[in-house]
Amino acid sequence: MHGHRKRMQLMLLAFVPIVVSPLGLDPIDRNTVRNLASSNSIQPPLSVFDDDKKNRRRKQHLVSVFSSCGLASLFLSLQLHPVYAADLGSDILLSSTVFGDADLRFFLAGGICAAFSHGITTPIDVIKTRQQVDTEKYGAGVLDAAKIILQEEGAKALLKGLGPTVVGYGIEGAAKFGFYESLKPAMSRLLDLENLAIPYLIASVIAGAAASIMLCPLERTRIRLVTDPNFASNLLTGIPLLIKESGITSLFWGCPAMLSKQVPYTFGKQVSFDEVAKYLYSIVSDPSNPLTKLEVSFVSAFIASISACLLSQPGDVILTDTYSERGTVPLSFSNVTKVIYDRQGFKGFYSGLTARIFHVGVIITSQLLLYDYVKQALGLPATGSS
């Protein structure tokens, strides 16, 4: 009984960031608004390295933040895998897992496939982001937008945001796939329904929300790198600059916007992939054939990419508008939504859709194909085959 109570307390603590972030970090501080309103113009960002003492303090803050994240990740990993906890002989860790019979191979496979698939599509993401921020200049078409960027900024501009994309989506992918696969059996046992799509949907929503919190700082950095040519040059200088501009909590501004994109994206991708693959395996003649597995994975991944793109497109536009603010406190979720609607109407929420369908199609199809391959290489069954 004591172990069950301890497990419930840990689960509540794990979901505190999901509840607190949208409610506590998105609203704009009154003093900040007053200071911004009293200034005649937005001052350019100060150099990160001007003051040695401030620079040392900033580095100390960053070390503290990342150390805390690392310790939290280690603690959660030990909770997810009781064998590791037993090996360390820790009496503060639970003997059973929080999410049921979690397998860390899902986390590894998810991190690898997400980092790779998002990294190789960075140029498409740059074009899509520019189209969403400045539709007049870049909205004519994907190729026209690419030509403008190449002519004005060179080929290097198409790789802006590569660092935070690979790191951020590697972490996000590990959490999303790992939590989703771990929660599926737990939710299925808890709900005890014949239709597994419902527990799978709930598992994907929780996994998407948890992964979104982790992604916020890196996605905010990526969008500023892509949309603001006067911003920092890379991830390592971008995060300290954001902290210098607006404080460490500013890394989590726009959390509701992130949730509005990532939660629909996650259940559109994960559940569609699972259900379509399961159906295809039920009608093929030889499910164990390697070529059949590849065909099933490809078709399921392609359908999942379309589903995820259409469901998450409005949230993606809201997220881009939220994080593209330069040197100011982003507007609240409701205000950003109103600005987009006033600017272009309902179609504004689907600006950049052509580029994003191609972008997301390549990402998800390659991601899920690689995920299934890595899973099988690690000794796990192909999605939908068991």
Side-chain angles (χ1 to χ4, degrees):
M1 190 69 182
H2 175 69
H4 177 71
R5 188 182 302 112
K6 197 172 183 181
R7 185 155 52 250
M8 291 301 295
Q9 290 172 350
L10 183 62
M11 289 182 72
L12 288 173
L13 285 173
F15 285 103
V16 164
I18 298 176
V19 176
V20 171
S21 295
L23 297 178
L25 296 176
D26 188 60
I28 301 173
D29 181 75
R30 291 177 184 271
N31 291 329
T32 305
V33 175
R34 192 179 296 114
N35 292 336
L36 286 171
S38 62
S39 62
N40 294 325
S41 61
I42 299 171
Q43 296 181 353
L46 298 174
S47 172
V48 178
F49 305 104
D50 281 348
D51 191 314
D52 289 337
K53 291 183 179 180
K54 289 183 179 180
N55 188 38
R56 281 197 297 270
R57 283 199 298 269
R58 189 177 302 110
K59 287 182 178 179
Q60 289 170 356
H61 289 156
L62 280 174
V63 169
S64 300
V65 171
F66 287 115
S67 298
S68 300
C69 292
L71 290 172
S73 300
L74 175 62
F75 182 77
L76 184 55
S77 297
L78 292 171
Q79 292 293 342
L80 291 171
H81 213 299
V83 175
Y84 299 156
D87 288 343
L88 290 179
S90 173
D91 57 357
I92 65 168
L93 299 174
L94 306 179
S95 59
S96 60
T97 65
V98 175
F99 296 109
D101 301 323
D103 194 322
L104 294 183
R105 289 176 293 179
F106 289 120
F107 290 82
L108 177 61
I112 291 171
C113 73
F116 174 79
S117 59
H118 281 273
I120 63 172
T121 57
T122 296
I124 307 170
D125 200 23
V126 169
I127 295 169
K128 180 266 302 180
T129 303
R130 294 286 185 91
Q131 286 184 320
Q132 290 175 344
V133 172
D134 192 345
T135 54
E136 291 185 7
K137 184 174 182 179
Y138 300 103
V142 176
L143 294 178
D144 290 333
K147 287 178 182 177
I148 293 172
I149 295 171
L150 289 171
Q151 288 172 358
E152 294 185 354
E153 303 173 55
K156 191 177 179 181
L158 292 175
L159 292 178
K160 278 194 171 182
L162 178 61
T165 296
V166 172
V167 175
Y169 281 97
I171 296 170
E172 185 257 2
K176 183 183 291 183
F177 281 94
F179 288 142
Y180 174 68
E181 297 285 5
S182 304
L183 286 166
K184 280 198 306 184
M187 288 298 163
S188 299
R189 288 193 297 267
L190 180 65
L191 298 177
D192 193 22
L193 299 173
E194 288 187 16
N195 185 2
L196 293 178
I198 296 175
Y200 286 8
L201 178 62
I202 295 172
S204 70
V205 169
I206 296 173
S212 296
I213 306 301
M214 301 177 186
L215 183 60
C216 268
L218 294 149
E219 184 68 356
R220 185 176 183 217
T221 306
R222 181 194 71 80
I223 292 176
R224 278 293 299 276
L225 285 169
V226 172
T227 60
D228 188 351
N230 298 318
F231 189 57
S233 57
N234 55 50
L235 172 64
L236 295 178
T237 56
I239 288 182
L241 192 52
L242 286 173
I243 294 173
K244 184 179 182 68
E245 284 181 356
S246 313
I248 196 164
T249 57
S250 70
L251 296 177
F252 294 91
W253 282 340
C255 194
M258 177 67 76
L259 292 171
S260 74
K261 172 190 173 181
Q262 288 297 327
V263 171
Y265 180 88
T266 303
F267 68 70
K269 177 178 70 174
Q270 307 291 140
V271 179
S272 297
F273 187 55
D274 267 350
E275 292 300 307
V276 173
K278 188 184 299 182
Y279 171 74
L280 292 177
Y281 274 117
S282 70
I283 62 174
V284 296
S285 56
D286 187 6
S288 61
N289 188 308
L291 182 59
T292 300
K293 289 184 177 181
L294 179 61
E295 291 170 344
V296 168
S297 294
F298 179 80
V299 174
S300 303
F302 179 75
I303 294 173
S305 72
I306 301 300
S307 172
C309 181
L310 294 177
L311 288 171
S312 63
Q313 175 65 15
D316 187 62
V317 175
I318 293 169
L319 180 68
T320 300
D321 253 53
T322 299
Y323 281 161
S324 63
E325 297 292 333
R326 303 178 183 182
T328 65
V329 180
L331 296 173
S332 66
F333 180 84
S334 58
N335 285 338
V336 170
T337 304
K338 185 177 184 302
V339 167
I340 295 170
Y341 185 80
D342 290 344
R343 187 172 61 212
Q344 289 181 278
F346 182 75
K347 70 176 183 179
F349 294 99
Y350 285 87
S351 60
L353 180 61
T354 304
R356 190 162 183 263
I357 284 179
F358 183 56
H359 177 228
V360 170
V362 173
I363 283 180
I364 294 183
T365 303
S366 62
Q367 184 181 107
L368 295 178
L369 281 172
L370 182 60
Y371 178 63
D372 250 12
Y373 176 82
V374 174
K375 275 204 312 179
Q376 293 173 69
L378 294 172
L380 295 166
T383 302
S385 63
S386 61

